[in-house]
């Protein structure tokens, strides 16, 4: 009798599981805004130009001026996808992993309902096999940065329109960045 009950309920459990599957449109604005920032850093880790273009506006302003000495930006902010995409993917050719946390999302007032600001911490690991053995710490460059960003909702999708990187601390061998050592 007990077994019968378990089998009889099984379809209910299955229905319940599929019923809780979220479609992207079910994300709250806050979740979708954070997801866009996660997708941005994923595009850098995956070296995926399509994804990088998908999550940024064509006229994005990227302010990496505080990182100009390692090639992550120029002395002036980089304006527009066509300048930014080759510049970022051209520098970040080594394996990277970006780890994000401490998200603070600010949805702007009704008059700017399609705009939002957010900040997050980004721990960026860069690895390049410059010296044996692989464990040599000179193969690693780590940065803790704060990202300051503005997003705009474009045809239902949140996209980065402005991004500024603020350095918190750095550790490791700058030669891993392959730039201005
Ligand atoms: C790059 O990103 C796009 C958009 O998300 C995705 O469709 C594609 O599969 C990705 N390509 C690779 C090689 O991961
Ligand atoms: C949102 O960020 C922009 C910078 O892109 C800034 O000018 C604006 O004042 C911020 N808005 C609020 C409400 O903090």
């Amino acid at each position: 009798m007990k077994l019968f009950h378990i089998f009889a309920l099984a379809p209910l459990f299955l229905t319940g599981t599929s019923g809780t599957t979220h479609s992207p449109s079910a994300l709250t604005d806050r979740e979708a805004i954070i997801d866009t920032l996660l997708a941005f850093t994923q595009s850098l880790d995956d070296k995926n130009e399509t994804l990088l273009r998908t999550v940024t506006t064509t006229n994005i302003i990227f302010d990496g001026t505080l990182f100009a000495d390692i090639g992550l930006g120029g002395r002036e902010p980089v304006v527009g996808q066509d300048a930014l995409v080759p510049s970022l993917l051209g520098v970040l050719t080594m394996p990277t992993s970006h780890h994000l946390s401490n998200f603070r999302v600010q949805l702007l007032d009704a008059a700017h309902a399609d705009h939002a600001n957010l900040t997050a911490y980004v721990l960026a690991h860069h690895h390049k096999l410059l010296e044996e053995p692989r464990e040599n710490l000179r193969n690693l460059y780590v940065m803790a940065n704060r990202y300051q960003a503005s997003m705009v909702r474009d045809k239902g999708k949140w996209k980065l329109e402005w991004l500024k990187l603020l350095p918190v601390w750095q550790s490791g061998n700058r030669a891993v960045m392959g730039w201005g050592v």
Side-chain angles (χ1 to χ4, degrees), residues 81-103:
Q81 273 181 342
D82 290 342
L84 180 63
V85 169
S87 133
L88 275 185
L89 295 182
V91 171
L92 298 175
T93 52
M94 75 295 283
T96 59
S97 61
H98 289 82
H99 306 259
L100 283 64
S101 68
N102 300 52
F103 301 104

Side-chain angles (χ1 to χ4, degrees), residues 36-149:
T36 291
L37 196 64
L38 291 169
F40 172 80
T41 53
Q42 185 185 335
S43 77
L44 304 179
D45 292 342
D46 291 353
K47 324 302 177 198
N48 186 332
E49 174 173 347
T50 310
L51 184 56
L52 180 50
R53 286 183 179 272
T54 303
V55 297
T56 50
T57 61
T58 51
N59 59 353
I60 182 173
I61 299 174
F62 175 85
D63 188 341
T65 48
L66 298 172
F67 296 83
D69 58 346
I70 55 167
L72 279 184
R75 300 279 164 207
E76 299 291 329
V78 179
V79 179
Q81 273 181 342
D82 290 342
L84 180 63
V85 169
S87 133
L88 275 185
L89 295 182
V91 171
L92 298 175
T93 52
M94 75 295 283
T96 59
S97 61
H98 289 82
H99 306 259
L100 283 64
S101 68
N102 300 52
F103 301 104
R104 303 216 51 207
V105 177
Q106 188 180 26
L107 290 161
L108 303 188
D109 56 43
H112 305 92
D114 288 328
H115 290 80
N117 285 355
L118 84 153
T119 58
Y121 272 143
V122 178
L123 199 53
H125 295 245
H126 309 76
H127 190 272
K128 194 181 279 171
L129 194 54
L130 296 173
E131 296 184 27
E132 297 286 355
R134 173 171 289 275
E135 294 78 10
N136 193 315
L137 285 177
R138 292 187 55 74
N139 296 325
L140 193 63
Y141 190 67
V142 185
M143 288 190 278
N145 299 327
R146 186 174 325 250
Y147 280 21
Q148 229 179 347

